[in-house]
Amino acid sequence: SYTFPCYRWLVGDKVVVELREGTAKKISDDTLPLEISHRKTELQERQKIYRWLAWAPGIPKCIDAKSEADLPQDARFDNEKRSDFVGSLQYALLELSLKKLAIKFGKSWNDLDDFKRIFWKLRSPIAEYTMMHWKEEWFFGYQFLNGSNPRMITRCKEIPSNFPVTGDMVQSSLIPTTTLKQELKKGNIFLVDHVILDGIPANVIRDRTQHIASPLCLLYEHPEKGLIPIAIQLEQKPDKDTPIFLPSDPPLAWLLAKMWVRHAEFQVFQLLSHLLRTHLVVEVICVATLRQLPAVHPIYKLLAPHLRYTLEINCRGRTQLISPDGIFKRVVSTGGDGLLILAQREYKVLTYRSLQPKFDFLDRGVTKLKDYFYRDHSLMLWDVIHNFVSGIVSLYYKSDSEIEQDSELQAWINDVATEGFVDLPQFGLASELKTTEELITLLSVVIFTSTAQHAATNNGQFDWCAWVPNTPCTMRHPPPTDKDAVTMDLIMETLPDISQSCVQMAITWHLGRAQPDAIPMGQYMEQYFTEPAAVRAIDKFRKELKELEEQIIAQNEGLELQYLYLCPSRIENSITI
Ligand code: OYP
């Protein structure tokens, strides 16, 4: 059965240390020379097996392992998890290759309805809802709030100079008694700008070049219709071949423009919001924790359950998903060189501040947007996590000077800030911890990211991506330049082909489905903490999560489209998929 290196730790198959069970101790709490030297040898041995690696330049460092097979036994999936992971993937791929065959020998692939033929057994209620409603304006807007990539939308105070939308162009989308200028002032106009995709080299798949655009999308918070798109430009520079698309355009032209925005969303969502900003960020913490904190350290005990399985899933991602011959190279437009360039761009501008939900919403100017469930639930979860972390930290650190004097903790933050997040001057995380408050914030960020933020990005991916036209993984034609020349043939030749679509469905199902062996947030299967006060803090944490669960369920009652990704019972305790 599964053990994280709290109870024992192995080199090869030899048990090197049995952990002293019981009270958590900082280095200053250990007084016997034997205890102190025990801490030191434990860390020396750990640093031999868990080493930093720069898998690629310009992104966070990761664990030094060629594949998951190189990981120490303690960091590996258990048998049940491994066979489920491999089995579910084979099941999905087999199912879809059968469909692909059936279609190839059957009718042709020439209408949007043909996507229904691969939409067959792997289904979910929201995926079906998407299939029914994906063309509707409110549904398109809704996904920026409560889809899988809810961190892109920003308030627009003035129209960007490279996106020359005029009041006339959008007047028919607004309520009649107002103007664009007034709505900008009132704070009802929003922008999604995928500038980060500008100039990213596109993949070549079986000799065909794929295409990537860097769209700008303007949205309006309509008092009755909700958030709706009102103008789209598919590249950053306005030009006669880069028209501004409007809802009043020929319907297929407007539809294709929206699909290009959704295609940009796929790339940003998977590589930046999901892979970089959750998986890779948490891996840094995981490696630093294993290298710098002995298992008896209170912060090790606090974090270990939130770091379970993350090393193995990330190793699998590096070898099978983003590797030179991985899934991205085979079916996604940013596969090949593009994905690394894109991740490097995001890494350069990544800030510690943006990982803290309060600041994220404030900085994007979206604190008042209506029906932004992701925001509301994130903030509530943040508070519950922050309370819990404060409770635990205050048990072990009575003053700021105790933080400064904890040499192991200082080595840990130094490893995080200077090794893991290497070459990141504007990240904003100092390499020393000076106060308990700084420690509490950092631990809250770690737990929030490995639980809530990962759930918010990962768990909806099948719902929003299974209906491929709603979130295409690649585009096989360049963006349209002539609004009047958009035909259904062009759309079908642009969207992913049958086999790309099948892989998109299979992988997003595999990753997004409820994991059968999931440990829900706040359930600690191994008893790391034994002190009554710490156990009480954990019980209180669980109680608050349960209350939050009830609140979220009640709030969703009667909603046609429910937002349940941040129900604590559906959030995993760590990034395991
Ligand atoms: C690892 O070979 C992971 O079939 C998923 O990676 C799938 C595999 C291995 C198996 C691939 C194979 C998980 C960690 C991660 C992450 C975040 C990014 C996820 C991106 C998903 C992209 C879906 C692509 C659909 C076309």
Side-chain angles (χ1 to χ4, degrees):
S1 88
Y2 177 81
T3 47
F4 210 66
C6 178
Y7 295 106
R8 64 177 161 74
W9 132 65
L10 308 170
V11 174
D13 51 9
K14 198 167 124 248
V15 178
V16 177
V17 156
E18 288 275 348
L19 178 78
R20 299 159 291 174
E21 281 198 42
T23 313
K25 285 180 171 180
K26 308 193 293 298
I27 188 159
S28 61
D29 303 324
D30 266 341
T31 42
L32 301 176
L34 186 68
E35 291 174 327
I36 306 225
S37 80
H38 191 227
R39 292 179 93 100
K40 292 221 169 87
T41 28
E42 182 183 3
L43 290 178
Q44 279 164 2
E45 288 303 320
R46 284 244 220 92
Q47 287 169 15
K48 282 190 211 149
I49 29 182
Y50 297 102
R51 298 167 310 269
W52 291 108
L53 172 78
W55 185 75
I59 59 171
K61 280 200 196 147
C62 65
I63 186 72
D64 182 5
K66 274 193 211 65
S67 76
E68 69 279 2
D70 277 357
L71 290 174
Q73 196 57 39
D74 285 330
R76 298 293 313 269
F77 289 172
D78 70 10
N79 289 333
E80 191 194 337
K81 169 81 175 167
R82 179 164 38 247
S83 59
D84 173 69
F85 183 88
V86 175
S88 123
L89 195 61
Q90 282 168 351
Y91 167 78
L93 290 169
L94 180 71
E95 159 122 2
L96 285 149
S97 57
L98 288 177
K99 282 181 205 171
K100 196 164 89 184
L101 275 180
I103 294 166
K104 281 207 169 135
F105 290 104
K107 279 195 291 172
S108 56
W109 184 255
N110 51 24
D111 188 84
L112 286 169
D113 270 349
D114 291 338
F115 280 96
K116 286 190 184 145
R117 291 161 40 208
I118 58 169
F119 200 75
W120 181 28
K121 201 159 146 201
L122 305 180
R123 289 189 170 203
S124 79
I126 295 186
E128 297 197 34
Y129 192 91
T130 302
M131 182 179 83
M132 310 292 289
H133 297 276
W134 69 290
K135 290 182 183 168
E136 295 165 28
E137 307 302 347
W138 73 270
F139 187 83
F140 179 87
Y142 176 94
Q143 293 182 81
F144 291 119
L145 304 178
N146 303 312
S148 281
N149 194 30
R151 60 162 199 96
M152 291 302 286
I153 189 158
T154 57
R155 177 173 163 199
C156 180
K157 293 193 178 132
E158 95 190 272
I159 301 293
S161 60
N162 64 330
F163 187 21
V165 177
T166 64
D168 289 347
M169 287 180 183
V170 299
Q171 189 59 49
S172 62
S173 297
L174 311 178
I175 52 169
T177 51
T178 190
T179 64
L180 178 60
K181 220 171 158 189
Q182 284 173 4
E183 294 303 305
L184 282 164
K185 257 220 193 94
K186 279 199 234 157
N188 294 330
I189 303 293
F190 295 87
L191 181 69
V192 174
D193 185 352
H194 290 108
V195 58
I196 199 157
L197 289 168
D198 191 21
I200 293 293
N203 199 0
V204 177
I205 302 174
R206 280 186 267 110
D207 293 331
R208 270 191 73 170
T209 302
Q210 312 294 299
H211 298 271
I212 299 170
S214 60
L216 293 133
C217 177
L218 202 66
L219 299 114
Y220 168 51
E221 190 173 30
H222 190 288
E224 286 119 44
K225 298 178 188 163
L227 186 71
I228 52 168
I230 58 176
I232 292 171
Q233 180 180 290
L234 297 181
E235 297 291 359
Q236 292 291 312
K237 266 217 203 83
D239 181 85
K240 70 167 177 20
D241 284 339
T242 305
I244 294 179
F245 291 86
L246 302 168
S248 52
D249 286 343
L252 290 184
W254 177 240
L255 185 64
L256 183 55
K258 287 194 288 178
M259 288 177 187
W260 272 101
V261 175
R262 297 293 312 157
H263 165 261
E265 280 282 295
F266 181 97
Q267 312 307 325
V268 167
F269 147 55
Q270 289 291 18
L271 289 170
L272 308 184
S273 306
H274 181 198
L275 181 63
L276 179 66
R277 300 179 67 103
T278 70
H279 283 256
L280 300 186
V281 163
V282 171
E283 184 169 359
V284 166
I285 306 296
C286 189
V287 175
T289 304
L290 290 167
R291 288 173 55 81
Q292 305 295 350
L293 298 180
V296 71
H297 196 285
I299 304 308
Y300 182 98
K301 293 183 177 225
L302 175 63
L303 289 183
H306 300 290
L307 304 173
R308 176 183 186 250
Y309 286 166
T310 305
L311 293 181
E312 172 147 357
I313 193 62
N314 285 4
C315 284
R316 286 179 182 264
R318 281 187 287 273
T319 55
Q320 303 179 318
L321 209 56
I322 57 172
S323 53
D325 53 358
I327 293 285
F328 266 75
K329 179 64 200 161
R330 298 209 303 265
V331 301
V332 182
S333 61
T334 49
D337 297 337
L339 67 89
L340 181 59
I341 299 174
L342 184 56
Q344 288 167 335
R345 279 189 190 173
E346 177 78 2
Y347 183 62
K348 271 213 186 95
V349 298
L350 177 68
T351 62
Y352 177 52
R353 184 177 165 92
S354 70
L355 300 174
Q356 302 171 45
K358 282 193 174 100
F359 292 130
D360 174 38
F361 301 119
L362 207 62
D363 295 348
R364 290 192 286 121
V366 292
T367 50
K368 293 203 196 88
L369 249 169
K370 277 200 254 6
D371 295 335
Y372 199 174
F373 307 124
Y374 160 75
R375 176 199 57 207
D376 300 344
H377 300 178
S378 291
L379 291 173
M380 295 190 291
L381 278 158
W382 173 268
D383 285 344
V384 171
I385 292 168
H386 192 269
N387 276 346
F388 168 57
V389 171
S390 305
I392 293 285
V393 167
S394 67
L395 294 178
Y396 300 100
Y397 295 92
K398 302 296 178 199
S399 68
D400 292 346
S401 67
E402 286 191 5
I403 299 267
E404 286 191 284
Q405 281 156 18
D406 186 337
S407 56
E408 289 166 342
L409 192 67
Q410 296 298 340
W412 174 76
I413 184 73
N414 187 59
D415 226 14
V416 170
T418 65
E419 286 288 334
F421 294 113
V422 68
D423 293 333
L424 202 51
Q426 87 313 328
F427 186 52
L429 179 67
S431 58
E432 288 164 35
L433 283 167
K434 296 221 160 68
T435 65
T436 42
E437 199 45 54
E438 284 174 11
L439 176 62
I440 291 167
T441 302
L442 177 55
L443 297 172
S444 303
V445 165
V446 174
I447 296 178
F448 179 82
T449 307
S450 59
T451 57
Q453 189 62 11
H454 182 259
T457 50
N458 181 74
N459 296 2
Q461 60 179 304
F462 183 73
D463 290 342
W464 310 107
C465 300
W467 179 250
V468 173
N470 182 59
T471 316
C473 61
T474 189
M475 293 297 241
R476 296 178 298 142
H477 258 284
T481 53
D482 177 357
K483 295 181 181 184
D484 294 314
V486 178
T487 59
M488 185 51 79
D489 280 351
L490 175 65
I491 289 180
M492 292 304 284
E493 279 167 24
T494 300
L495 287 174
D497 66 20
I498 307 175
S499 100
Q500 293 163 335
S501 302
C502 287
V503 175
Q504 174 172 333
M505 283 197 74
I507 304 289
T508 56
W509 177 78
H510 170 62
L511 300 178
R513 88 209 143 97
Q515 299 296 309
D517 64 340
I519 298 176
M521 183 174 186
Q523 301 302 313
Y524 299 107
M525 311 311 273
E526 322 265 1
Q527 193 180 7
Y528 290 90
F529 286 105
T530 50
E531 303 78 302
V535 172
R536 278 198 300 275
I538 292 173
D539 285 344
K540 181 164 159 274
F541 181 41
R542 289 192 184 148
K543 199 172 131 265
E544 290 181 10
L545 288 171
K546 194 154 173 285
E547 286 163 10
L548 187 53
E549 174 100 11
E550 284 157 14
Q551 199 181 334
I552 292 176
I553 300 279
Q555 186 197 33
N556 272 282
E557 210 134 309
L559 282 186
E560 186 172 85
L561 188 51
Q562 301 199 322
Y563 188 78
L564 299 170
Y565 304 117
L566 292 182
C567 266
S569 66
R570 299 184 183 210
I571 300 176
E572 272 198 83
N573 223 7
S574 65
I575 300 179
T576 73
I577 191 69

